[in-house]
Amino acid sequence: MSLLGRAQVEAWGQPKHLKGRGYVNNISLQACIFCKIARGELPATVVHDEADLLAFRDLSPQSPHHTLLIPRKHIASLDDLDEDDGDLMGRLMLAARDLARRQGLAEAGYRLVANVGADGGQSVGHLHLHLLGGRPLSWPPG
Ligand code: AMP
């Protein structure tokens, strides 16, 4: 496991007692790179922007089209969703559908992926969906 992965798993393993005080699972919201992108403090190629959702190009694209969709609210991973995040997640999925249509991916098909935790290959501790398309994608993933 990478050092980053180990650090994040250790952080994720900690109690959520800091929630609501600028921390989620002991990760400072100031330090989260996707929170920084959502606040406009880090550059990104934004392709969709609404009040509580954002989509931007992945820095290291794995297919001709590779976009990340995030809630602006800091949620560390799918495993950290609360029951009342259902509406937000539904809108995130609809935003992915609309973006795929706008990018001309819907007819040929595409893949929507959420990596969760260390074994899932998650490297950024802010919930995100990968929208991948523009070429045939193999299965199963590595
Ligand atoms: P995951 O491994 O599922 O956590 O995905 C994180 C993704 O974030 C990777 O595909 C990275 O290439 C991407 N990424 C990391 N930093 C940035 C950034 N500053 N802007 C855009 N994409 C990024």
Side-chain angles (χ1 to χ4, degrees):
M1 185 190 304
S2 70
L3 275 180
L4 178 61
R6 196 189 323 278
Q8 289 203 329
V9 167
E10 283 168 5
W12 288 335
Q14 298 198 3
K16 300 182 180 181
H17 65 284
L18 293 169
K19 214 170 186 173
R21 291 198 279 158
Y23 290 80
V24 172
N25 292 353
N26 211 23
I27 295 175
S28 162
L29 302 189
Q30 297 306 316
C32 171
I33 57 171
F34 287 179
C35 283
K36 284 186 179 174
I37 289 174
R39 290 194 298 262
E41 295 168 9
L42 264 185
T45 304
V46 172
V47 294
H48 179 74
D49 189 351
E50 59 181 288
D52 48 9
L53 306 174
L54 192 69
F56 52 91
R57 299 271 184 213
D58 195 293
L59 207 54
S60 175
Q62 302 302 309
S63 58
H65 181 101
H66 188 172
T67 299
L68 301 173
L69 295 104
I70 65 167
R72 288 180 181 277
K73 169 185 170 184
H74 184 89
I75 301 171
S77 81
L78 275 183
D79 190 54
D80 292 270
L81 284 172
D82 291 328
E83 298 306 320
D84 58 9
D85 290 322
D87 178 60
L88 180 65
M89 289 307 292
R91 283 184 289 112
L92 193 67
M93 297 293 279
L94 289 170
R97 179 203 64 182
D98 292 344
L99 187 58
R101 287 179 180 170
R102 278 207 309 279
Q103 304 279 344
L105 302 174
E107 194 175 332
Y110 55 90
R111 186 169 295 164
L112 204 54
V113 176
N115 296 324
V116 181
D119 276 4
Q122 185 178 4
S123 62
V124 176
H126 183 126
L127 191 157
H128 50 282
L129 299 179
H130 296 258
L131 173 61
L132 296 145
R135 67 169 171 85
L137 299 162
S138 60
W139 189 266

